[in-house]
Every structure is written in C-alpha cells, then in structure tokens.
Amino acid sequence: MPSYLIVLKVMPQTKIYGNADFIQQNRRVLSSTIHSCVVDALNYPPEKKFQRFFPLLSEDFEYPSDRSEQYIIIEILMFAGRTIEAKKNLYRLLFERLQDKLGISSLDIEIILIETPNYNWGIRGVAGDELNLSYKVNV
C-alpha cells in the first residue's frame, strides 16, 4: 500500500463463544489476551475495546468430540481492508497467547473474521464511511 494512502479501519467488534463454566472462570484473561492480539496485530488503539461474551450451556453448544471444554469460537467483525498478512498475524498471536495464558490448545480455538464495507456500519449517528476519527491506521 503506498505510504501516501491513508485507510481508515476501525472498531473490531469481538464475540467470544464457549462453554459457560470455562468462559465465566476465565473471562478477564480471555478478554485481555484477545484484546492485546487485536491491538498488536491490527495497530488498534488500546482504549477501543468492544467485546461480547456468549457463555453457553452444554446443551446449547455442540462441537466435535475431539475438542475439549476449553473450545472457544472468536468471531471478529470489522471494516474491510486489512492485509492478509495482518489477519494471519492476528491468528498467530491468538493461538500463541491463548495457549500461553490459559493453556488452550490450537485445536480448541476457532477464529472467524467477518469484514464489511465501512458504509455498512452505523456508528455515532452516521454511516461508517462518514466518521470523523481522531486516529488513522494503515495495516
């Protein structure tokens, strides 16, 4: 990407799905670890943290028998435009740090990135492509 081109990429919204007991016991560490990966991989401002946890009862959360009670799904919604390298770095950091901090096997982590054009977001009373942001990020 040419250095003179400034691209706005903001507000990843993160959803974390998992076994209710595991999520509730580890929410603080999950939250800080996942957010640190988003900040580092996507050059995201640390103070902009948007997360939602979905602790699921076993009868509401079916997954293959080769996964453990630590199995989680991390779904990140964000403006389109980040490089493949930035996304792969995010995956790598999530796998490494969640293993390091909570002992979660990479087999028990699924990451889904959902990108949409910024005009498909309504934020602070305007369409996302009309936002006047205090920061710019090239990733």
Side-chain angles (χ1 to χ4, degrees), residues 25-38:
Q25 292 171 10
N26 297 286
R27 183 185 307 250
R28 185 184 59 77
V29 177
L30 282 166
S31 176
S32 62
T33 303
I34 291 168
H35 187 62
S36 75
C37 295
V38 170

Side-chain angles (χ1 to χ4, degrees), residues 28-71:
R28 185 184 59 77
V29 177
L30 282 166
S31 176
S32 62
T33 303
I34 291 168
H35 187 62
S36 75
C37 295
V38 170
V39 167
D40 292 347
L42 304 179
N43 292 330
Y44 193 66
E47 69 278 5
K48 301 287 187 178
K49 185 177 188 181
F50 298 93
Q51 296 179 337
R52 293 179 302 278
F53 285 86
F54 295 86
L56 301 165
L57 300 175
S58 59
E59 61 266 20
D60 296 326
F61 192 41
E62 294 189 28
Y63 48 86
S65 62
D66 62 345
R67 306 305 196 276
S68 79
E69 293 293 313
Q70 293 182 324
Y71 175 68

Side-chain angles (χ1 to χ4, degrees), residues 7-10 78-82 87 114-118 121:
V7 180
L8 300 177
K9 300 176 186 99
V10 298
M78 61 187 183
F79 285 2
R82 290 178 174 83
K87 295 173 201 175
I114 301 169
E115 295 181 292
T116 60
N118 56 1
W121 292 58

Side-chain angles (χ1 to χ4, degrees), residues 75-128:
E75 188 176 285
I76 302 173
L77 295 89
M78 61 187 183
F79 285 2
R82 290 178 174 83
T83 65
I84 292 171
E85 293 78 18
K87 295 173 201 175
K88 288 183 178 183
N89 188 38
L90 176 60
Y91 305 147
R92 182 186 57 76
L93 290 175
L94 286 164
F95 289 130
E96 287 175 2
R97 291 181 186 173
L98 289 168
Q99 169 70 42
D100 182 54
K101 299 288 186 186
L102 290 167
I104 304 174
S105 163
S106 59
L107 183 63
D108 282 330
I109 302 167
E110 291 195 23
I111 305 156
I112 304 161
L113 293 181
I114 301 169
E115 295 181 292
T116 60
N118 56 1
Y119 56 80
N120 281 350
W121 292 58
I123 304 167
R124 291 183 245 152
V126 297

